[in-house]
Amino acid sequence: MDTGTHFVMGIALGGLATLDPVIAQDPVTASAVIAGTILGSQAPDIDTVLKLRNNAVYIRNHRGITHSIPAVLLWPLIISGALFAIIPEANYLHLWLWTFLAVFLHVFVDIFNAYGTQALRPISSKWVALGVINTFDPFIFGIHVAGLILWGFGFPPGYLFLVIYGILVIYYISRFREQAFIKRAVKQQIPGARKILLSPTMRFHRWKIAVITEKNYYVARADNGYVTILDTFDRVPLPESEILEAAKKDINLAAFLSFSPVYRFEIEQIKEYYEVRFIDLRYRSNGYYPFVAVVHLDSDLNILNSYTGWIFSEAKLQKKLNIIL
């Protein structure tokens, strides 16, 4: 989920914690627990600072080790230990328990979007991505904000958020049901589908779809259960090419290939240099495919420049690459 949603979830967990008799009877522990749930709901995303280095490092590592099993166990110890050092009057066991729940819930809800996490690391480095919730879901964010407002008006937060999380369980079940319905609709329209990749959008009944068959890639959209095919591409295997092999050594392209399961590619000679471009087919937006990796090489196959990330116009891409013609 996005940072804002994790933040309101952290506060909501602090409210839910008032159902704990120890916390309900101890204002000092209650204050420490709210701080713990807020910090715990944010801690796994500390790897966002990797963006300051470059997109390649961020793509390869975001939601990786910081969302792993050891990290889920370590974050609560660090956070609750630091808070207990500041507030030694707090009940440490209950502070740790609720901080642990905040960290666990952060990682748990992240597996439901299309990006996913390496939540099973070190047992498995596989990305767990169920693809039923958008990174920002207006309903999930909105119901938390509504709960916080009601709390501010005096509603008992423990029972209030217990009801809200019951509603969210039903909401998640409905998303899984809709996802299954869309997959069935895709298989009816594209019988040869070997793999179907669904990306939920912020609109409840709209999904982005990428389909892999034996010979083609299909890009589609689902609106209210109706599937529309938008683009079709031949599934061309990567050629044996010195240009491509040289480009694959670039960190930006390597990061893209580690992240993207469905893409098309282009290799062109432009004046005195070569351009290798990979385009992720999952994120079509207004007829444009914004997630790309581009590498430029000179005639001796030395890498001149490269970029991977989200670009919504060719002009901005050229600016990122800082091409000097």
Side-chain angles (χ1 to χ4, degrees):
M1 306 300 293
D2 66 295
T3 301
T5 302
H6 283 306
F7 181 72
V8 295
M9 289 180 71
I11 302 174
L13 279 176
L16 186 66
T18 60
L19 293 176
D20 183 333
V22 172
I23 295 170
Q25 296 170 14
D26 184 357
V28 174
T29 299
S31 298
V33 164
I34 287 181
T37 55
I38 291 173
L39 292 172
S41 70
Q42 297 294 323
D45 277 349
I46 196 171
D47 58 7
T48 301
V49 300
L50 294 173
K51 277 188 175 181
L52 299 175
R53 289 189 60 187
N54 56 58
N55 281 351
V57 174
Y58 176 74
I59 289 168
R60 275 189 174 277
N61 295 283
H62 181 50
R63 296 190 180 179
I65 193 169
T66 61
H67 288 61
S68 65
I69 293 173
V72 170
L73 299 175
L74 187 60
W75 285 125
L77 290 173
I78 294 172
I79 295 167
S80 61
L83 289 172
F84 188 69
I86 299 170
I87 314 172
E89 299 84 4
N91 183 300
Y92 179 75
L93 175 60
H94 288 257
L95 172 59
W96 174 83
L97 283 171
W98 285 95
T99 303
F100 171 80
L101 181 60
V103 174
F104 173 81
L105 193 61
H106 175 120
V107 175
F108 180 70
V109 298
D110 276 354
I111 73 174
F112 289 93
N113 59 51
Y115 194 105
T117 77
Q118 289 182 304
L120 299 178
R121 193 172 171 181
I123 297 172
S124 171
S125 59
K126 181 181 178 181
W127 287 84
V128 184
L130 301 180
V132 295
I133 300 292
N134 189 262
T135 303
F136 175 76
D137 186 293
F139 179 77
I140 295 174
F141 181 78
I143 199 171
H144 277 90
V145 171
L148 296 178
I149 292 172
L150 292 174
W151 184 5
F153 278 106
F155 281 71
Y159 292 107
L160 175 63
F161 287 109
L162 190 63
V163 170
I164 285 174
Y165 282 118
I167 294 171
L168 285 176
V169 169
I170 297 171
Y171 177 70
Y172 272 71
I173 291 172
S174 73
R175 296 298 286 167
F176 274 107
R177 288 172 62 89
E178 181 161 5
Q179 183 194 58
F181 178 84
I182 297 300
K183 284 186 176 181
R184 289 195 296 270
V186 170
K187 289 178 180 178
Q188 289 178 355
Q189 198 156 341
I190 308 174
R194 290 186 171 184
K195 190 171 185 179
I196 301 170
L197 303 168
L198 298 183
S199 298
T201 68
M202 286 192 289
R203 293 181 58 178
F204 183 77
H205 293 299
R206 173 170 288 185
W207 300 69
K208 294 181 179 180
I209 306 167
V211 181
I212 302 173
T213 68
E214 183 179 359
K215 296 182 179 180
N216 299 101
Y217 295 125
Y218 293 87
V219 178
R221 183 181 69 226
D223 280 296
N224 297 310
Y226 182 77
V227 176
T228 303
I229 296 174
L230 303 172
D231 286 321
T232 305
F233 302 99
D234 292 334
R235 188 177 176 186
V236 181
L238 292 176
E240 293 185 5
S241 163
E242 291 184 353
I243 299 170
L244 183 58
E245 290 304 312
K248 285 166 69 175
K249 295 176 183 177
D250 177 75
I251 60 170
N252 282 305
L253 180 53
F256 176 95
L257 292 174
S258 72
F259 173 74
S260 177
V262 52
Y263 52 79
R264 64 185 182 90
F265 65 92
E266 300 169 354
I267 302 174
E268 294 184 81
Q269 184 170 3
I270 304 173
K271 295 184 178 179
E272 69 277 9
Y273 63 89
Y274 298 103
E275 179 179 282
V276 177
R277 180 178 300 211
F278 280 70
I279 303 146
D280 194 304
L281 299 180
R282 294 174 295 173
Y283 305 113
R284 187 182 190 274
S285 177
N286 297 321
Y288 191 78
Y289 293 88
F291 190 72
V292 301
V294 180
V295 182
H296 288 157
L297 307 99
D298 65 19
S299 57
D300 295 320
L301 303 185
N302 298 307
I303 295 171
L304 298 172
N305 49 41
S306 65
Y307 175 79
T308 188
W310 299 89
I311 291 292
F312 289 88
S313 75
E314 190 66 21
K316 289 184 178 179
L317 176 60
Q318 302 303 327
K319 186 177 181 180
K320 289 283 186 181
L321 289 165
N322 192 26
I323 296 175
I324 301 175
L325 298 179

